[in-house]
Amino acid sequence: MTTGLIPGGHPPDPRPTDGLPSQSRHEPIGLDALHIDDRSRSSVITARAAASFEPVGRSVASARSFVRDTLQGWGFADIVDDAVVLTSELVTNAVVHAGTAADVLCLRSDDGVRIEVADRYPEREIALQGSAASMGNLDREGGRGLQLCAALARRWGVDYTPTHKQVWFHLDLPQRAVGTRTAGPSLPAELLPLADGRVRVAVIQIDRTGAVSAWNEDAEEIFGYAAEQVTGKPLTDLAAWPHTPGTSTGIVEALQLSRWEGSYGIRDAAGRVVPVYASHLRVRDTDGDPSTVCLLVRDHERAVLQTPVRVSATDTTSSAEGQSSDPFEIFIGSPAPDDLDGLLQRTVERSRDMLDADAAFLLLATDDETELEVRASTGLPSARQRFARVPVEAGPGRYGSARMPAVHDDLTSVPGAVPLLNGTGMRSVVTVPLKVEGRLTGSLGVAAEAPGRYSNEEALRLQFAADRIALAVESARLGELERLRRGSLSFLVEASDLLAGTLDRDQTLALMAQMTVPTLATWCAVYTIADQASDPYLSYVLHEDEELIDGIKSLLGKIAPPDPVPTPGAHVWTAPAEAAHQAALRTSMRSLGLNEPATVSAGIGTTLATASAVGGETVVLPLVARNRVIGMLTLGKPSDEHFRQEILELAEDLSRRAALALDNARLYSERTAISQSLQRSLLPPGLPQIDGVEVDVIYRAAGEGNEVGGDFYDVFPIDDSTYGFAIGDVCGTGPNAAAVTGLARHALRLLAREGLSGPAVLQRLNSAILDEGSRSRFLTLLYGEMRPREDGSAELKVVCAGHPLPLRLRQDGTVEAAAEPQPLLGVLEDLELYEQTITLDPGDVLLCVTDGVTERREGTRMLGDDGLAEVLTTCTGLTAGAVAARIMRAVERFASDAPSDDMAILAMRVPGLQS
């Protein structure tokens, strides 16, 4: 169904304007039987409402509801019944008999209401004959609509176009005698509604943009703002609109309706929300500009504005639809809402109307029947109460239990008997249980502001209604729970996958918050605890509105963190809401000043927005991993909102998974830090400065988080004129290979400084490796000693034990191997090694690499010794650092994949004479 409402003005004619004339069938069927009128609309149209309905059976009931709500909103209750009956018949003809969609148009004029029903089946003409009896009789299914039009409407007619057939009727407003419209009985003074000594009625006018255009003196007195402070500001900046379950109407929508009446709040200059009862009337000025006049009184003085007479839901149902044989439909109406919230809201509204009450509420029992959760209410601050919990057994005696009907004549004499109504001004109340197969499933209650309103007779009527709806409510609740559980399983599976996909602590914190906001809560804060002796630390804050994050973080930073209670489950934490209220109050008081008028400033707006964001219920769930509390997950709702139990249970499941993921990230971070610290201890502290020789190294360890692997290098002084250098590769990677790396590097330094020759150093290192037993690993090693000479050259003595041969680059660009291969270490006990002497002339380069460089692969291709030599030929004239860098770039460009092996490059160059 699609609807539209356009107050005031002349509406466009909905009939097609495609050049074809409209055919109006207005031949008389009888002098008295039919009154057909095809005169043009001469009256001034003051409001228009339109809706379209699909060609399905339930559209008939939807059309009835649309017309009823529209006319009641216009204040035409006297003609609602006739209009609903006629609309029902005509829409039935369209959607059931003609099988097309139906368009319903309601037009309000000075002298009555015109309703047009059009279908899209113009070929199905209505036979107009000379006798009204021939149109059909009351026993037939079809043909009654026009008879009813003739009987109930003052004017009616049928119009045809090539695409539409339209039946319309006009109902006049009844002539009312001058005098009383409604009246109530005389009452003793103690039964009259309570009001202040002087009743103040705030009159606020809102222009077409939603901004305040007029603000009277009573409004200044009630809310504390002078007219010039609020004129031109949107009313939404001041209004605290309740989120009523089952409805989607907000303050913006309410200001657009022709009439509206109900409760909401206005935030005063001190930052407090003043509950008000309001009556809105949409008007237009002489220029046709619409605006809304709002009359507001304090909520406890609602009797000044509240409409005293309510039409019984059962009366309207029976008058418009005939007596239904289904007691459930009699009470709820047809069609019944297909969602739980809609059904509960319809129930409380019909219960309130049935007993002419001021408020009604419905609570659903938890699985263990120990608590009741508020799920729907009307006439109460429902946003504050929704999902709040009260115990099933509130106290001793009959009035203290929700398991049986109870009537309270005056709540002031039984304080706390109905905790939900504390502080609401309600005095008399009747509550009845909802039971299915003897099990308590909920509680339904209605309340009034006056005492002594209800007796056992009203309790029996309400109990009868509760019995009719209990099974439907329980069925809808179970369906909702099943959907929630399925969604919860899907949510937890996805959350587990996300948390398992990272071992980064900061990313885990961010994921925890992002999974809860806005799915489970409006805002979230995560506290972490480093160790048992540390206080909780605020690590992460998130709100669905990013602009509020800084304000919440600042607010939480000023209050003590929650206690790290290890007990499972959610614990209510009231400190944020209290701190937010105090901050808002202090900011508002500062803005007032001692001698200055109140101002509505941006600072106040920011503080009040933060207060509203954290002003609702806040719960804390401990993050427990490996029998230790490692943090707290804090979830919050905006002002006056509560968490439902299913959400808290889901949050508890999430907190257990998040705690383990956070602890895993902590352990990984700690072990990574330890590993990296140990690995750094295996690297040389630095390269020595050698006169007459340039030395540079590039080292890359394979694997995430590794700084040292199986490859290693070292350059160190042996004595004043001699320097040792080494580059090696231990079999494998990881910690075991790094252990052999440490053994080799430290043994080389120790043995070389003992004055041993190169072969002797490597033979003793070989013995040390073999002594490691099962932990030993074979090692390829290039070891040498270098002595710079006075003539600018350098003498090198090298031993190449199973390692890739070093390459010598001469100044003329030729490249040649600078040593011969010998057996590797860690395999044979008796090694016969020898050293070779190399002389590097000025400008020559000695390049030493590990096999991670030469065995770099791209598919079936391998860089190899030849590829390395080819790259080295392009390095003539480069410094040692530039040579190493060019080799590394060539290795990286050879393949697109990340390296799978450690790589080390050691370049030594004797500067030329020109250098």
Side-chain angles (χ1 to χ4, degrees):
M1 182 187 78
T2 57
T3 63
L5 179 65
I6 307 176
H10 296 275
D13 195 325
R15 293 171 290 184
T17 57
D18 53 3
L20 297 175
S22 171
Q23 301 177 12
S24 178
R25 305 299 180 96
H26 52 86
E27 296 87 345
I29 298 176
L31 296 176
D32 300 321
L34 301 176
H35 188 107
I36 306 174
D37 182 29
D38 64 344
R39 291 177 294 173
S40 62
R41 306 170 192 155
S42 59
S43 301
V44 175
I45 304 301
T46 58
R48 173 183 184 267
S52 296
F53 302 91
E54 298 298 324
V56 291
R58 64 175 180 271
S59 293
V60 178
S62 300
R64 290 196 295 264
S65 299
F66 164 69
V67 172
R68 180 187 297 115
D69 294 343
T70 299
L71 298 190
Q72 286 180 345
W74 288 346
F76 294 164
D78 295 331
I79 62 174
V80 165
D81 291 342
D82 290 347
V84 167
V85 169
L86 294 177
T87 302
S88 179
E89 290 293 336
L90 297 178
V91 173
T92 299
N93 289 339
V95 302
V96 176
H97 300 303
T100 75
D103 300 324
V104 180
L105 176 66
C106 300
L107 301 173
R108 184 182 70 185
S109 62
D110 299 334
D111 59 346
V113 173
R114 174 180 171 128
I115 297 179
E116 302 175 355
V117 179
D119 65 44
R120 299 164 191 179
Y121 190 14
E123 292 83 1
R124 186 176 183 273
E125 297 188 2
I126 298 176
L128 300 179
Q129 303 176 12
S131 170
S134 65
M135 295 174 53
N137 57 69
L138 297 179
D139 295 329
R140 293 182 55 194
E141 182 180 358
R144 293 178 298 180
L146 300 183
Q147 283 188 320
L148 289 173
C149 288
L152 300 178
R154 185 169 71 87
R155 300 193 306 272
W156 68 279
V158 183
D159 297 333
Y160 287 95
T161 72
T163 58
H164 288 72
K165 178 180 87 274
Q166 175 181 281
V167 181
W168 59 269
F169 59 88
H170 184 97
L171 297 176
D172 289 339
L173 295 177
Q175 296 293 328
R176 299 188 180 93
V178 177
T180 302
R181 290 284 304 279
T182 60
S186 299
L187 296 175
E190 61 271 13
L191 296 182
L192 296 175
L194 184 64
D196 293 340
R198 176 185 173 187
V199 177
R200 298 185 180 274
V201 180
V203 181
I204 305 173
Q205 191 157 5
I206 310 299
D207 62 21
R208 67 190 311 165
T209 66
V212 176
S213 59
W215 184 274
N216 73 339
E217 294 181 358
D218 281 355
E220 296 182 10
E221 183 67 26
I222 295 175
F223 306 120
Y225 297 117
E228 58 270 15
Q229 294 176 258
V230 294
T231 300
K233 296 183 178 296
L235 183 63
T236 52
D237 288 355
L238 304 176
W241 187 263
H243 299 284
T244 305
T247 65
S248 59
T249 304
I251 183 64
V252 176
E253 292 81 4
L255 292 173
Q256 298 296 321
L257 299 177
S258 57
R259 281 186 180 276
W260 186 88
E261 185 176 320
S263 299
Y264 52 91
I266 297 291
R267 203 176 298 277
D268 65 11
R272 296 183 296 268
V273 175
V274 179
V276 298
Y277 193 84
S279 177
H280 297 176
L281 176 65
R282 189 76 164 164
V283 299
R284 62 189 176 101
D285 58 20
T286 55
D287 296 330
D289 290 332
S291 61
T292 302
V293 177
C294 306
L295 305 181
L296 298 89
V297 296
R298 291 183 174 91
D299 194 60
H300 65 271
E301 298 173 340
R302 62 169 60 191
V304 176
L305 298 180
Q306 189 171 23
T307 303
V309 178
R310 298 187 181 94
V311 179
S312 172
T314 56
D315 292 343
T316 58
T317 302
S318 60
S319 63
E321 306 175 20
Q323 184 65 33
S324 172
S325 60
D326 187 349
F328 175 79
E329 288 193 0
I330 291 176
F331 182 70
I332 292 296
S334 181
D338 56 2
D339 64 297
L340 178 62
D341 285 339
L343 178 61
L344 299 183
Q345 190 63 26
R346 178 82 64 85
T347 298
V348 296
E349 291 172 354
R350 295 295 171 90
S351 300
R352 178 199 64 185
D353 293 343
M354 182 177 70
L355 298 186
D356 195 24
D358 295 308
F361 51 89
L362 194 151
L363 304 88
L364 295 183
T366 56
D367 292 338
D368 57 5
E369 298 184 33
T370 60
E371 288 184 308
L372 294 166
E373 187 177 65
V374 181
R375 291 299 302 269
S377 65
T378 182
L380 296 174
S382 56
R384 175 174 62 88
Q385 303 289 353
R386 184 158 161 79
F387 299 123
R389 291 197 162 201
V390 296
V392 170
E393 305 291 344
R398 180 171 182 268
Y399 289 151
S401 174
R403 300 184 184 277
M404 59 186 68
V407 178
H408 302 269
D409 294 329
D410 193 345
L411 288 178
T412 58
S413 61
V414 192
V418 184
L420 180 65
L421 300 180
N422 292 344
T424 62
M426 301 296 165
R427 298 185 64 180
S428 55
V429 61
V430 53
T431 61
V432 297
L434 275 69
K435 293 185 177 182
V436 175
E437 298 180 351
R439 182 173 61 87
L440 180 69
T441 59
S443 178
L444 175 63
V446 297
E449 295 177 344
R453 284 282 300 276
Y454 304 115
S455 63
N456 289 338
E457 180 181 354
E458 282 80 12
L460 291 175
R461 290 180 61 195
L462 190 62
Q463 184 67 70
F464 179 82
D467 292 341
R468 302 286 78 74
I469 66 167
L471 186 58
V473 169
E474 180 65 4
S475 177
R477 186 182 75 88
L478 292 176
E480 180 190 67
L481 286 177
E482 181 63 21
R483 289 190 296 272
L484 284 174
R485 285 168 183 161
R486 290 182 180 179
S488 299
L489 289 175
S490 176
F491 172 79
L492 290 174
V493 168
E494 182 179 358
S496 300
D497 288 343
L498 290 173
L499 291 172
T502 178
L503 287 172
D504 181 82
R505 176 182 176 276
D506 292 338
Q507 189 174 359
T508 302
L509 290 172
L511 283 175
M512 290 171 57
Q514 292 167 5
M515 285 185 294
T516 57
V517 177
T519 305
L520 305 181
T522 306
W523 63 274
C524 166
V526 183
Y527 290 84
T528 55
I529 302 175
D531 52 61
Q532 298 295 339
S534 302
D535 293 328
Y537 174 75
L538 182 61
S539 299
Y540 202 91
V541 176
L542 184 66
H543 190 280
E544 60 184 6
D545 184 354
E546 294 183 357
E547 296 182 355
L548 297 177
I549 294 177
D550 291 339
I552 296 175
K553 188 181 299 183
S554 175
L555 179 70
L556 294 178
K558 297 176 183 177
I559 61 177
D563 295 330
V565 180
T567 308
H571 308 278
V572 177
W573 186 31
T574 60
E578 295 172 355
H581 175 75
Q582 294 298 325
L585 184 59
R586 287 193 300 269
T587 303
S588 299
M589 296 301 293
R590 282 197 301 270
S591 69
L592 293 174
L594 297 177
N595 300 313
E596 299 178 3
T599 58
V600 181
S601 65
I604 292 181
T606 302
T607 304
L608 295 182
T610 302
S612 177
V614 302
E617 187 175 51
T618 302
V619 296
V620 178
L621 296 106
L623 298 174
V624 181
R626 298 175 176 90
N627 298 321
R628 187 174 72 88
V629 180
I630 62 171
M632 286 89 70
L633 177 64
T634 303
L635 307 180
K637 287 283 190 179
S639 292
D640 301 334
E641 288 197 22
H642 294 265
F643 287 96
R644 60 186 305 175
Q645 184 61 24
E646 294 81 7
I647 295 299
L648 294 179
E649 292 173 357
L650 181 58
E652 187 176 356
D653 284 340
L654 175 64
S655 68
R656 287 194 291 268
R657 290 165 169 78
L660 188 58
L662 184 61
D663 199 46
N664 288 339
R666 177 188 64 82
L667 292 175
Y668 177 78
S669 299
E670 291 179 356
R671 292 179 181 179
T672 300
I674 294 173
S675 175
Q676 291 176 347
S677 177
L678 292 175
Q679 290 182 56
R680 282 192 293 269
S681 69
L682 301 178
L683 294 175
L687 296 177
Q689 295 292 328
I690 304 176
D691 293 336
V693 179
E694 298 175 0
V695 180
D696 207 334
V697 173
I698 293 180
Y699 182 82
R700 300 283 173 83
E704 182 181 357
N706 289 333
E707 293 190 16
V708 173
D711 292 5
F712 70 95
Y713 69 92
D714 200 0
V715 179
F716 57 92
I718 297 176
D719 53 38
D720 293 340
S721 60
T722 306
Y723 294 86
F725 65 91
I727 182 168
D729 184 1
V730 179
C731 174
T733 60
N736 292 331
V740 178
T741 298
L743 171 65
R745 194 176 69 80
H746 293 293
L748 286 174
R749 287 194 173 213
L750 180 63
L751 295 172
R753 287 170 179 171
E754 289 294 325
L756 299 177
S757 65
V761 169
L762 268 60
Q763 288 169 353
R764 296 197 179 187
L765 176 59
N766 180 64
S767 298
I769 294 174
L770 292 175
D771 289 343
E772 291 292 310
S774 61
R775 296 182 298 173
S776 66
R777 289 171 175 251
F778 64 80
L779 167 68
T780 68
L781 179 65
L782 173 66
Y783 173 74
E785 296 179 357
M786 176 176 55
R787 293 183 179 84
R789 293 176 175 177
E790 293 181 359
D791 61 358
S793 63
E795 181 186 63
L796 283 70
K797 295 181 179 181
V798 298
V799 180
C800 186
H803 198 77
L805 300 179
L807 298 179
R808 176 180 180 177
L809 171 66
R810 296 184 181 275
Q811 273 193 317
D812 59 3
T814 59
V815 175
E816 60 184 5
E820 297 176 353
Q822 300 183 57
L824 51 77
L825 308 181
V827 177
L828 302 176
E829 292 185 1
D830 297 326
L831 288 180
E832 294 183 3
L833 302 174
Y834 58 92
E835 63 184 7
Q836 297 174 271
T837 302
I838 306 170
T839 300
L840 292 182
D841 297 325
D844 288 354
V845 175
L846 186 70
L847 177 66
C848 310
V849 300
T850 59
D851 60 4
V853 174
T854 57
E855 295 180 3
R856 178 71 164 153
R857 293 180 181 275
E858 174 68 18
T860 59
R861 297 187 307 119
M862 185 173 72
L863 180 62
D865 295 334
D866 294 338
L868 180 63
E870 184 178 350
V871 176
L872 184 59
T873 59
T874 66
C875 298
T876 303
L878 298 181
T879 63
V883 170
R886 178 169 293 186
I887 298 298
M888 180 56 72
R889 284 199 301 272
V891 171
E892 291 175 341
R893 292 172 181 172
F894 187 79
S896 58
D897 296 338
S900 59
D901 195 5
D902 305 327
M903 292 187 294
I905 301 173
L906 171 62
M908 294 180 289
R909 176 177 180 268
V910 177
L913 299 177
Q914 66 275 17
S915 303

